[in-house]
């Protein structure tokens, strides 16, 4: 029985692990969703939710606290403007982890960690880009 269970070490040194998690949080907040392994997603979730909570509180000190994790200034501005308004009425639970199955190369369990209530991509745009390629194949 492991009392006071700490964080996962993810087979990395402390500096490497912290840099990787900070980069993953920045990517998640920039793109709205990222695909990674389940243990990494579980480690990123509390960090990302803390950044959004800091943004909801606002203020210079919270911007500086968030800037420790989110190194990209553009993403930081997005968090303190767009995400602050989007999640203003939500008391927590800003992220969702969706399991995707196993990676082919090493059978690692993959997951999609995404922000809840993110705007969906237009599926019509994806269909129109694939349609001309399919027509070109059938003509030849």
């Amino acid at each position: 029985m492991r009392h006071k269970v700490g964080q996962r070490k993810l087979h990395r040194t402390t500096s490497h692990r912290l840099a990787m998690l900070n980069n993953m949080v920045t990517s998640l907040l920039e793109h709205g969703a990222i695909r990674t392994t389940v243990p990494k997603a579980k480690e990123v979730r509390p960090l990302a939710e803390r950044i959004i909570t800091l943004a909801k509180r606002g203020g210079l000190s919270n911007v500086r606290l968030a800037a420790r994790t989110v190194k990209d200034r553009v993403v930081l501005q997005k968090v303190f403007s767009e995400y602050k308004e989007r999640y203003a009425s939500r008391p927590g639970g800003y992220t969702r982890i969706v399991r995707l199955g196993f990676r082919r190369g090493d059978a690692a369990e993959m997951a999609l960690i995404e922000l809840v209530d993110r705007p969906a991509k237009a599926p019509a745009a994806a269909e129109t880009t694939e349609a001309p390629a399919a027509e070109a194949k059938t003509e030849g």
Side-chain angles (χ1 to χ4, degrees):
M1 182 183 311
R2 295 183 60 203
H3 299 282
K4 295 186 178 181
V5 177
Q7 296 176 329
R8 293 170 183 83
K9 298 197 179 184
L10 302 173
H11 303 287
R12 286 165 172 82
T13 61
T14 304
S15 59
H16 183 187
R17 183 175 61 250
L18 292 176
M20 179 191 66
L21 293 174
N22 289 345
N23 288 334
M24 290 178 73
V25 168
T26 303
S27 295
L28 173 63
L29 295 173
E30 180 180 1
H31 300 292
I34 56 174
R35 185 172 175 229
T36 184
T37 60
V38 172
K40 288 180 190 174
K42 287 181 177 181
E43 285 300 309
V44 166
R45 171 182 255 175
L47 297 174
E49 296 204 359
R50 175 150 169 78
I51 298 299
I52 294 174
T53 302
L54 289 172
K56 283 175 55 175
R57 291 182 192 156
L60 180 60
S61 62
N62 289 326
V63 172
R64 288 179 174 164
L65 287 172
R68 291 177 181 178
T69 302
V70 180
K71 305 296 185 192
D72 190 353
R73 188 175 295 258
V74 175
V75 175
L76 197 60
Q77 290 173 349
K78 182 178 181 179
V79 170
F80 276 83
S81 60
E82 182 182 332
Y83 295 153
K84 178 180 181 176
E85 296 167 3
R86 185 188 302 175
Y87 298 114
S89 62
R90 192 177 194 91
Y94 313 113
T95 59
R96 163 189 313 129
I97 296 176
V98 180
R99 292 172 187 253
L100 299 176
F102 296 94
R103 186 163 49 198
R104 185 171 181 174
D106 60 354
E109 190 174 8
M110 299 301 288
L112 178 77
I113 180 167
E114 62 182 351
L115 296 174
V116 178
D117 298 336
R118 72 183 175 119
K121 301 267 184 177
E127 292 173 5
T128 57
T129 57
E130 294 175 7
E135 290 174 6
K137 290 179 183 176
T138 57
E139 291 175 6

